[in-house]
């Protein structure tokens, strides 16, 4: 997720440091997607309120607006009178916009925010200053696994579309359990699909079938309107993905198993994505909010059918450390 993704790794002089530097460089360069006129292209599912409402309803039972609003409402219900939590940590926070929302909503009072890309830290600090949250949001450029590894430090460990950028998901979740205080909250809203986006046959078949059913007007390439997007969905080249961003979905397929092992009582909800993430990426920019509302609703029903048979890209997890 371009707006939300980040990563984390070692900052020592080692092969791991080289990977961390490559990750930091990649995410320092990532910007939003715009057309020739400068208009933001809404090419991804998180740009579209109907999709966010659909996901949120799956998580909390209400079609509320906002990215991750459903899991936050579920967390609020779980914590009740314990709110606000005193101190949280977030690894690979990007510009911290998600964490600052939790601060404003009274979920937590203070955050230690770890990020590798200096441009994103600068943007986050500027955002925190505008929102008068500088005392609550402490940005740190470095390796949280080395710098924040004392047991039972935090009441909240927050992963939002950054866990799938960890090179060793199991180690990241073990660290999460270690630094959480007893009774503290593990909060995850993340990509849990195949490593390096190596989509299995059933996902490719479903996504391709959707693309082949859509009218030509929805297959126009928003980045280059004189061309068409492919109707056949294929796997990306994993080696090219590694070269571009060594952290992208490096170990994502193990996420749910690792969460369940360390937090056996975790409240896990599959939130889909085979259709809205794989089949509709890029071409979502062509959907008209009113004209294509019914079509999108039907496609989201199909996405739910994929989730029901175990095919998902995303999931949320909430767990209290016992």
């Amino acid at each position: 997720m371009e707006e939300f993704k980040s990563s984390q790794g070692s900052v020592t002089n080692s092969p791991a440091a080289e990977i961390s530097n490559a990750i930091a460089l990649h995410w320092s360069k990532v910007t939003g997607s715009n057309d020739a006129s400068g208009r933001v292209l809404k090419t991804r599912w998180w740009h579209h309120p109907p999709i966010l409402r659909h996901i949120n309803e799956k998580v909390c039972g209400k079609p509320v607006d906002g990215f991750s609003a459903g899991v936050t409402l579920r967390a609020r219900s779980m914590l009740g009178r314990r709110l606000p939590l005193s101190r949280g940590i977030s690894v690979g926070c990007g510009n911290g916009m998600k964490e600052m929302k939790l601060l404003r909503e009274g979920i937590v009072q203070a955050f230690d925010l770890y990020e590798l890309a200096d441009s994103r830290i600068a943007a986050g600090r500027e955002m925190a200053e505008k929102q008068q949250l500088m005392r609550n949001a402490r940005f740190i450029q470095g390796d949280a696994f080395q710098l924040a590894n004392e047991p039972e430090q935090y009441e909240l460990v927050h992963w939002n579309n950054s866990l799938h950028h960890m090179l060793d998901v199991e180690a990241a979740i073990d660290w999460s359990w270690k630094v959480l205080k007893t009774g503290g909250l593990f909060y995850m809203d993340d990509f849990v699909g195949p490593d390096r986006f190596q989509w299995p046959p059933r996902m490719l078949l479903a996504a391709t079938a959707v693309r082949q059913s859509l009218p030509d007007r929805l297959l126009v390439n928003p980045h280059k309107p004189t061309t068409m997007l492919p109707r056949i969905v294929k796997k990306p080249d994993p080696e090219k993905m590694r070269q571009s961003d060594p952290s992208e979905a490096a170990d994502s397929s193990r996420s749910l198993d690792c969460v369940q092992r360390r937090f056996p009582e975790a409240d896990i909800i599959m939130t889909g994505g085979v259709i809205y993430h794989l089949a509709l990426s890029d071409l979502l920019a062509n959907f008209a909010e009113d004209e294509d509302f019914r079509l999108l609703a039907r496609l989201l029903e199909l996405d739910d059918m994929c989730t029901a048979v175990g095919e998902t890209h995303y999931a949320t997890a909430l767990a209290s450390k016992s």
Side-chain angles (χ1 to χ4, degrees), residues 2 30-31 40 81-82 109 115 128 150 188 227 237 275 283 305 309:
E2 288 84 347
V30 169
T31 59
V40 174
R81 294 182 179 180
R82 292 183 53 206
Q109 292 177 318
E115 171 59 36
E150 293 298 319
M188 185 201 82
T227 65
D237 182 332
I275 305 304
L283 61 83
M305 293 171 64
V309 296

Side-chain angles (χ1 to χ4, degrees), residues 160-177:
N160 195 312
N161 286 283
S162 57
L163 184 61
H164 76 276
H165 285 277
M166 300 301 108
L167 304 182
D168 185 339
V169 163
E170 184 174 19
I173 292 172
D174 286 347
W175 168 87
S176 300
W177 188 91

Side-chain angles (χ1 to χ4, degrees), residues 91 133 182 257 263 300:
V91 180
L133 291 173
T182 300
D257 286 343
F263 297 96
L300 291 175

Side-chain angles (χ1 to χ4, degrees), residues 99-106 108-111 133 136-137:
E99 293 82 358
M100 281 183 254
K101 189 171 187 290
L102 295 181
L103 289 169
R104 295 194 309 272
E105 293 181 352
V108 65
Q109 292 177 318
F111 251 126
L133 291 173
N136 309 84

Side-chain angles (χ1 to χ4, degrees), residues 2 8 47 56 71 77 110 112 122 148 175 184 187 205 214 221-222 224 281 288 312:
E2 288 84 347
Q8 183 69 29
H47 297 136
N56 289 333
V71 66
S77 177
D112 288 348
W175 168 87
Y187 176 121
L205 284 171
L214 296 176
N221 187 337
K224 193 175 181 181
S281 282
T312 192

Side-chain angles (χ1 to χ4, degrees), residues 168-221:
D168 185 339
V169 163
E170 184 174 19
I173 292 172
D174 286 347
W175 168 87
S176 300
W177 188 91
K178 176 183 177 181
V179 301
L180 263 181
K181 292 182 178 181
T182 300
L185 181 68
F186 175 87
Y187 176 121
M188 185 201 82
D189 188 354
D190 226 294
F191 177 80
V192 297
D195 296 349
R196 306 294 183 190
F197 299 164
Q198 295 305 289
W199 317 117
R202 287 206 298 182
M203 288 188 185
L204 292 172
L205 284 171
T208 294
V210 165
R211 287 207 169 196
Q212 289 180 337
S213 73
L214 296 176
D216 286 346
R217 65 179 178 83
L218 293 178
L219 272 294
V220 174
N221 187 337

